[in-house]
Amino acid sequence: MTSTADASAAAIADHRETSLPVVIIGAGPVGLAAAAQLLERGIEPLVLEQGDRAGAAISEWGHIRLFSPWRHVTDAASVRLLEAQGWTPQHPDALPTGHELVKHYLAPLAATPQLESRIRYGVTVENVARDGMDRTRTAGRDSTPFLVRFDSSGDEDEIRARAVIDASGTFSTPNPVTTSGLAARHGAEVADRVTHGLPDVLGRDRAQFAGRRVAVVGAGHSAANTLIALRRLAEQEPGTTITWAIRSANPHRVFGSDDDQLPGRASLGAATRSLVDDGAVSLIDQFLIDDVEPRDDAVALVGTRAGRPIAVDADVIVVATGFRPDLDGLREIRLRLDDVVEAPEKLAPLIDPNEHSCGSVPPHGVDELSHPEKGFWLAGMKSYGRAPTFLLLTGYEQVRSIADELAGRHDEARRIELVLPETGVCSTDLAASSCCVVSAVSERAAGPGLTLTAKPASCC
């Protein structure tokens, strides 16, 4: 039997929880989709964005053209918000650049009356915890609000939340250049000669590469993107030379094959292979990099190849070795992460690149994303940890499922209804993420209560 005092305390706790917002970290595509999905269910969101505008991270690689058409890079709830404001969609089959995605979709979405007042820019989230509890406290934990502490230009530096969805991505935390995954010992000395991610070789960053010796590290698609752009630059700027360093025995993942289901990826793989075959790019395989070192007015990659010491001199190094999640601010949150890929424990076996090739990651929802910390989720690219197989439409389905869970629609949260598009590469220039094609879904992966419509899937 429940006492009057117990019932009153429960009512107060329930009111306190539901009167607080759900804090969403990151105003990228998945973060804004989370806000739109929550609003449709009558739940108050608050989006905290480190940059000065929505899609700030995408703007960093805005010169890249996506491989997926417009109809595959927008979230349904977000589109409904936009259409209510008279938004004119782009042609559904057109391929946007990152800049166009921000200009024609994310920026107007963030400016809708429903979202504009619920987004704070220039806010760097530093820590998330339970209010008045470290991770060792258990009693009453699930009913205690979250405390989100941040750095901003305003007077406020923390806020309490009903739940937290961390959709901050991984673009700001690239993997190091070394094979060990540790920071290069001399990295600080050569920082001005090392760049990460997807530099705009033919545009904004042209002067950094023109007429110089460039070494590209990494055996993924973002490396291929940079190699192709550098070759075009070399044709225009004499003295530009290109070295490609990979730790694997060969770059077969980039080269692909003529049987690739994705013609765009196949042609880009063939183009990259031609660069090596024609001598436009000098390939150094089996290169285990230990450090980067200063060399007068240059820099050197230092390590071993086939057990023997090797050093490669360059003027500029492009590190295209992938990304990892920043988990430092979540030490007081009870996370359950896989030891290998640093993804949620139930999601990790579905995306571990050691176990899955392109084509075996099923759609998933709130159950796979849950942690021991009730009301806290990693979503979007950050939920994938170090795995390179994230799909943007998968991120949208993640936050749809989370929103239903928060709204008490538990059956709907576990009914994953996702039709994935038929292309599988993020960009015709081969953007940062890898691809994944869902060609089949096993009963084990689907589980009871899940409805999965599986077709070849698209990155982004």
Side-chain angles (χ1 to χ4, degrees), residues 4 23 50 145 167 170 221 228-229 236 246 256 267 310 347 356 384 417 433 442 457:
T4 302
V23 166
Q50 182 175 12
T170 59
H221 292 138
I228 293 169
Q236 303 165 15
I246 63 174
S267 62
I310 183 175
L347 174 61
H356 298 277
Y384 269 47
E417 298 177 347
S433 298
S442 68

Side-chain angles (χ1 to χ4, degrees), residues 424-459:
V425 190
C426 279
S427 107
T428 52
D429 297 319
L430 289 174
S433 298
S434 182
C435 73
C436 171
V437 179
V438 179
S439 56
V441 179
S442 68
E443 183 178 352
R444 181 199 61 78
L450 298 187
T451 302
L452 303 179
T453 304
K455 293 183 179 181
S458 170
C459 294

Side-chain angles (χ1 to χ4, degrees), residues 291-436:
D291 200 6
V292 290
E293 296 180 356
R295 288 279 200 276
D296 296 326
D297 293 330
V299 62
L301 293 167
V302 178
T304 60
R305 181 173 185 267
R308 298 181 179 180
I310 183 175
V312 174
D313 292 339
D315 298 309
V316 185
I317 296 172
V318 179
V319 181
T321 52
F323 302 88
R324 59 179 61 179
D326 181 358
L327 303 169
D328 289 347
L330 304 177
R331 289 184 60 85
E332 300 308 322
I333 294 296
R334 295 180 177 181
L335 300 179
R336 183 168 291 156
L337 299 174
D338 177 72
D339 291 337
V340 178
V341 295
E342 295 183 300
E345 190 174 63
K346 292 181 181 179
L347 174 61
L350 308 178
I351 62 175
D352 185 344
N354 293 294
E355 304 295 335
H356 298 277
S357 63
C358 243
S360 56
V361 179
H364 54 274
V366 67
D367 280 343
E368 291 82 3
L369 297 171
S370 292
H371 296 277
E373 197 74 76
K374 181 182 178 182
F376 180 90
W377 292 275
L378 301 173
M381 187 66 204
K382 193 165 185 176
S383 73
Y384 269 47
R386 301 191 187 196
T389 50
F390 174 68
L391 316 174
L392 187 53
L393 279 184
T394 299
Y396 293 154
E397 185 64 3
Q398 287 179 345
V399 295
R400 194 279 309 162
S401 177
I402 292 169
D404 274 335
E405 182 76 357
L406 285 168
R409 300 166 55 176
H410 305 302
D411 289 341
E412 289 86 345
R414 287 157 181 80
R415 188 172 296 114
I416 311 301
E417 298 177 347
L418 181 63
V419 177
L420 297 170
E422 296 181 356
T423 55
V425 190
C426 279
S427 107
T428 52
D429 297 319
L430 289 174
S433 298
S434 182
C435 73
C436 171

Side-chain angles (χ1 to χ4, degrees), residues 108-142:
L109 176 60
T112 58
Q114 294 89 342
L115 289 186
E116 186 174 28
S117 63
R118 294 177 168 96
I119 305 173
R120 298 186 188 179
Y121 299 104
V123 176
T124 302
V125 173
E126 297 177 332
N127 301 100
V128 181
R130 291 285 185 176
D131 191 12
M133 291 184 172
D134 66 14
R135 69 182 297 150
T136 67
R137 288 279 303 277
T138 298
R141 189 174 188 89
D142 288 352

Side-chain angles (χ1 to χ4, degrees), residues 80-328:
R80 287 189 285 270
L81 276 183
L82 286 164
E83 289 178 339
Q85 303 302 314
W87 174 69
T88 302
Q90 302 297 300
H91 192 286
D93 294 323
L95 306 178
T97 64
H99 287 314
E100 290 167 346
L101 183 65
V102 173
K103 179 180 178 180
H104 298 300
Y105 174 61
L106 295 178
L109 176 60
T112 58
Q114 294 89 342
L115 289 186
E116 186 174 28
S117 63
R118 294 177 168 96
I119 305 173
R120 298 186 188 179
Y121 299 104
V123 176
T124 302
V125 173
E126 297 177 332
N127 301 100
V128 181
R130 291 285 185 176
D131 191 12
M133 291 184 172
D134 66 14
R135 69 182 297 150
T136 67
R137 288 279 303 277
T138 298
R141 189 174 188 89
D142 288 352
S143 61
T144 300
F146 289 92
L147 179 67
V148 181
R149 182 166 294 170
F150 51 83
D151 180 30
S152 72
S153 57
D155 295 331
E156 188 180 24
D157 63 358
E158 61 185 30
I159 193 168
R160 282 150 187 83
R162 167 186 174 181
V164 176
I165 301 172
D166 186 347
S168 58
T170 59
F171 192 74
S172 63
T173 48
N175 287 325
V177 68
T178 64
T179 308
S180 66
L182 301 177
R185 290 188 298 274
H186 295 85
E189 300 173 45
V190 296
D192 60 333
R193 293 182 176 272
V194 177
T195 185
H196 294 263
L198 289 158
D200 190 359
V201 171
L202 297 171
R204 177 191 60 206
D205 305 316
R206 184 186 184 96
Q208 186 178 1
F209 301 98
R212 311 188 80 182
R213 298 171 298 170
V214 185
V216 178
V217 181
H221 292 138
S222 51
N225 169 50
T226 299
L227 292 169
I228 293 169
L230 284 168
R231 173 54 177 166
R232 294 172 185 164
L233 181 66
E235 293 172 343
Q236 303 165 15
E237 300 283 354
T240 305
T241 63
I242 311 160
T243 301
W244 185 16
I246 63 174
R247 66 180 178 183
S248 53
N250 61 71
H252 62 84
R253 186 162 66 92
V254 175
F255 288 169
S257 72
D258 294 338
D259 296 328
D260 198 318
Q261 293 179 337
L262 309 170
R265 183 173 63 182
S267 62
L268 286 168
T272 308
R273 181 191 293 272
S274 293
L275 296 180
V276 175
D277 291 345
D278 296 345
V281 168
S282 299
L283 174 64
I284 303 178
D285 56 18
Q286 304 179 73
F287 190 176
L288 305 183
I289 298 172
D290 297 326
D291 200 6
V292 290
E293 296 180 356
R295 288 279 200 276
D296 296 326
D297 293 330
V299 62
L301 293 167
V302 178
T304 60
R305 181 173 185 267
R308 298 181 179 180
I310 183 175
V312 174
D313 292 339
D315 298 309
V316 185
I317 296 172
V318 179
V319 181
T321 52
F323 302 88
R324 59 179 61 179
D326 181 358
L327 303 169
D328 289 347

